[in-house]
Structure formats: structure tokens, C-alpha cells
Amino acid sequence: MAAPLPPALRERVSAVHGAAALPELLRLYDEWAARYEEDVAALQYRAPALAASALAAAVRGPPGAARVLDVGCGTGLVARELQRHGFSWLDGVDGSAEMLCRARASRLYRELWRCILGSEPLPVPTGGLLCMTTRSNPSNLRYKAKLEATLERLENQGAWEKVLAQEEERWERATSEEESIQGTGYISGVVYLYRKCPVPPLPES
Ligand SMILES: C[S@@+](CC[C@H](N)C(=O)[O-])C[C@H]1O[C@@H](n2cnc3c(N)ncnc32)[C@H](O)[C@@H]1O
């Protein structure tokens, strides 16, 4: 049985999970940025490794030639895992200035943008893959539905095609009994991968 999580960590994570609205959520991520990596290590957070494995399986050709847009890149944990699979052409977006500051310091991204997903257009690179992840625990289901609606819009606009939406059970340790899946002590999550659609050629005049 895993050791109990420290109460202060539970409080930080519960505050983020319980954020009522996006401005509050991003403010909490700003405040959490300095301790984020330490805390998610304690939670046995697997999203970055799962996202990187899914990308490595989906990429066509050598990973080093694939451009990847890491959406909600946080401090850069996905980039770190992607590098281990041979990816090196990485761009990132995030809504939290403090998380982005740490992603910039990692020097793993070519370009980083501050972008509020759902209310601002994604900076769309000319080709490649988009990855993002989110939790599927009860307190995140409303946010997850919104996120999926945003991704569906991008798909309907013909900008991106879905490669996969992969549910994963042992995403990270649960911070409460109610959130834990069937008493496992873990919550689940989803990895989304999209591929940029080629821009159709202009009709000849
Ligand atoms: C759980 S963290 C994941 C960070 C990173 N992908 C990782 O696996 O460590 C979620 C990130 O998404 C960002 N985020 C959440 N909602 C967002 C939104 N609507 N627009 C932009 N960024 C958002 C947060 O600032 C945070 O950095």
C-alpha cells in the first residue's frame, strides 16, 4: 500500500481540482508552478510518459522530423519524455505565465505561446502532431467535456484530424477516496493526439 500523501500536497492539488472557473484555475497553476514537478512526482503522475509513448507509436517517419504542439505544456514534462523518444521539434502553449516560464527555462521547446484554450485560437504550426492530456476524475468531467468540444471544433474546421483519444486508468494517485477508481487509490485520464491536416492548394486562377 502506498504511503499517505502529505496533507499540504492534498490541499494544493484539491485547490486546483476544485477551481470554479478558468481564471481561478490559471491563477492556481501560477501559484503551483514552483512546486508542480515535486508534487506530481509524489502523485506518481504518468500523463507525460503516456502521452510521449502514444506519440512515439503514432508518428510517421523519424520522430526528430515531426513537429509536435504540446497543448497545456505546463513546466515541460511531456517535452522531457518526448526527448527520450527522439523528438526534438517541440512547440508548446499554456495559459499560465508561471508554468510557461518554467517550460522556457527547460530549453526543450522551439516556440512557446501563452494561449487560453477555448477562448483564443491555437497558434497553428504548418504541420505535425498536437498532443494534450486531461484527467477523467469526477471533479474534472465538466472541464473535460469543454476541452473535447474545443478539439471537436478544430476537427470540424478541417484544421486537425483525430489520431486517438486514449483512456488510461492509473493516471495519478487520487487525493480523496471519492475520486479514487473502485478503491484503487488512482484516478484516470485521457491522452488526445491530433494530426494537422494539410492546407489544400489554392485553386488555379
Ligand atoms: C495538469 S497540468 C499538465 C501540464 C503538462 N502537460 C504535464 O503533463 O505536466 C495542466 C496545464 O494546462 C494548463 N491549462 C489548463 N487549462 C487551460 C486552458 N484553458 N488554456 C490554456 N492552458 C490551460 C495549465 O496552466 C497547466 O499548465
Side-chain angles (χ1 to χ4, degrees):
M1 182 121 143
L5 293 168
L9 180 148
R10 277 176 194 270
E11 265 175 43
R12 284 192 292 277
V13 177
S14 302
V16 171
H17 288 193
L22 191 56
E24 189 196 348
L25 177 74
L26 296 176
R27 182 185 58 76
L28 288 165
Y29 272 113
D30 276 341
E31 286 175 16
W32 196 19
R35 305 194 73 144
Y36 175 80
E37 293 193 4
E38 183 191 330
D39 283 356
V40 298
L43 290 175
Q44 298 170 17
Y45 178 61
R46 294 172 65 227
L50 293 168
S53 300
L55 273 161
V59 72
R60 299 170 179 158
R67 186 171 191 180
V68 179
L69 181 63
D70 179 4
V71 179
C73 63
T75 58
L77 292 179
V78 173
R80 209 176 294 164
E81 293 291 336
L82 283 172
Q83 211 184 27
R84 289 147 52 103
H85 287 275
F87 290 88
S88 54
W89 191 359
L90 310 174
D91 300 318
V93 298
D94 202 281
S96 153
E98 290 299 323
M99 296 294 263
L100 271 177
C101 190
R102 280 163 175 82
R104 198 161 286 117
S106 76
R107 305 177 74 90
L108 294 171
Y109 296 91
R110 294 205 187 178
E111 294 198 63
L112 285 165
W113 297 274
R114 181 145 189 242
C115 168
I116 313 292
L117 194 66
S119 54
E120 290 173 349
L122 269 182
V124 181
T126 52
L129 292 156
L130 171 155
C131 83
M132 66 177 307
T133 63
T134 198
R135 290 173 280 109
S136 311
N137 56 322
S139 66
N140 198 45
L141 290 181
R142 219 159 53 113
Y143 177 78
K144 181 174 171 253
K146 268 188 167 171
L147 179 67
E148 287 177 353
T150 303
L151 292 171
E152 213 172 292
R153 261 201 311 279
L154 287 173
E155 211 181 345
N156 293 339
Q157 288 159 4
W160 299 88
E161 65 171 320
K162 190 194 261 180
V163 177
L164 60 83
Q166 197 169 297
E167 279 281 344
E168 301 281 353
E169 282 201 346
R170 289 200 161 210
W171 193 255
E172 67 184 42
R173 287 184 63 187
T175 53
S176 70
E177 211 33 62
E178 306 81 67
E179 297 269 17
S180 151
I181 311 169
Q182 293 163 356
T184 57
Y186 287 83
I187 61 169
S188 59
V190 197
V191 174
Y192 304 95
L193 295 189
Y194 282 75
R195 185 173 274 115
K196 180 85 179 73
C197 295
V199 180
L202 288 172
E204 282 179 36
S205 53

